[in-house]
Amino acid sequence: MEPDSDAPMLSEAAQEAFEHVKEEMMVLNHVFVQDKFTMGQLGSDNAKYFFSVRDSIIYRSNSLMWHTSQLSSIHADLELQLHSSFLAGMHTAELLPSHQAGLHYLFDDIVFGNVSLLDYVANLVGLVFEGFAQRGKYKWNSAFKSAASNHGPLSSSETGSLLIQAHKDWVNCLQAYRGDLIHTHAILGNASHEWKFDASGMQLSLRVVIPSNLKKLFTRIPQPHDKLDICSAAEMIGITSANLSANILSSLITRVRTNSNKPWIRDPDTTS
């Protein structure tokens, strides 16, 4: 089956989710350094660091959009190659291992990128709740531990509640899967192809399913997890992580707008 060259390679839902992260980041940027406070209050070094984190979040969102779109595009191209090889009399099964591996290369990058996005967002949590003295020290796990510690401003905040719930429902499993990829072994799902003849000719489809290690991550999806294809899984991971990130950024916007206790101004180094 030949892919439709005009078909979008990224779903509208995924596009909107990643764009929402960038929009919320720019609202926080406006509130943080333009609406409420002056550059002098932040200090030039701290302002530069904030801009660096801001730009990193936007970069990661754009990167995830590109990688996820590329995965779908390459999948469609591989189906076309399989279709052509079948018509040429080649044995299509021999092509499947390389097709499977190429898709998983990108899928692994998408998993890494999603965890990276969440770490960047957690860095901003540290800046808002602890000030610039903590810059660079907060990643997702440190922010989660602070939120779950039952002491300090983060633990009693809306942001802290979001972190705890997100970690329980999503991030912990995503990190565990990434840890297996990094430290243990490569993880592949099964690949197969199907062809049939009908009035329009020979139709061929390539299917690469998610690895079994990811089933825990998709317990809320009402379809058999072992039949979830890799392109749909990549989009679902991106949408979920992006929505969580946008919600946390939104809570930070509220915190900065309403909080009279300003740790980002109180730090000794903000007068530099």
Side-chain angles (χ1 to χ4, degrees), residues 31-46:
V31 172
F32 208 93
V33 300
Q34 297 177 37
D35 187 19
K36 299 285 285 185
F37 316 112
T38 67
M39 297 293 286
Q41 286 176 305
L42 289 176
S44 59
D45 288 344
N46 290 337

Side-chain angles (χ1 to χ4, degrees), residues 118 140-141 143-145 147-148 159-176 215-220 240 244 248:
L118 293 162
W140 180 269
N141 285 345
F144 164 70
K145 289 176 182 177
T159 303
S161 297
L162 289 171
L163 283 164
I164 292 170
Q165 195 65 42
H167 189 80
K168 176 183 176 182
D169 291 346
W170 183 254
V171 183
N172 190 41
C173 287
L174 184 62
Q175 288 181 329
K215 290 181 182 179
K216 288 182 180 179
L217 204 60
F218 293 107
T219 54
R220 292 170 291 176
T240 304
L244 290 175
I248 292 170

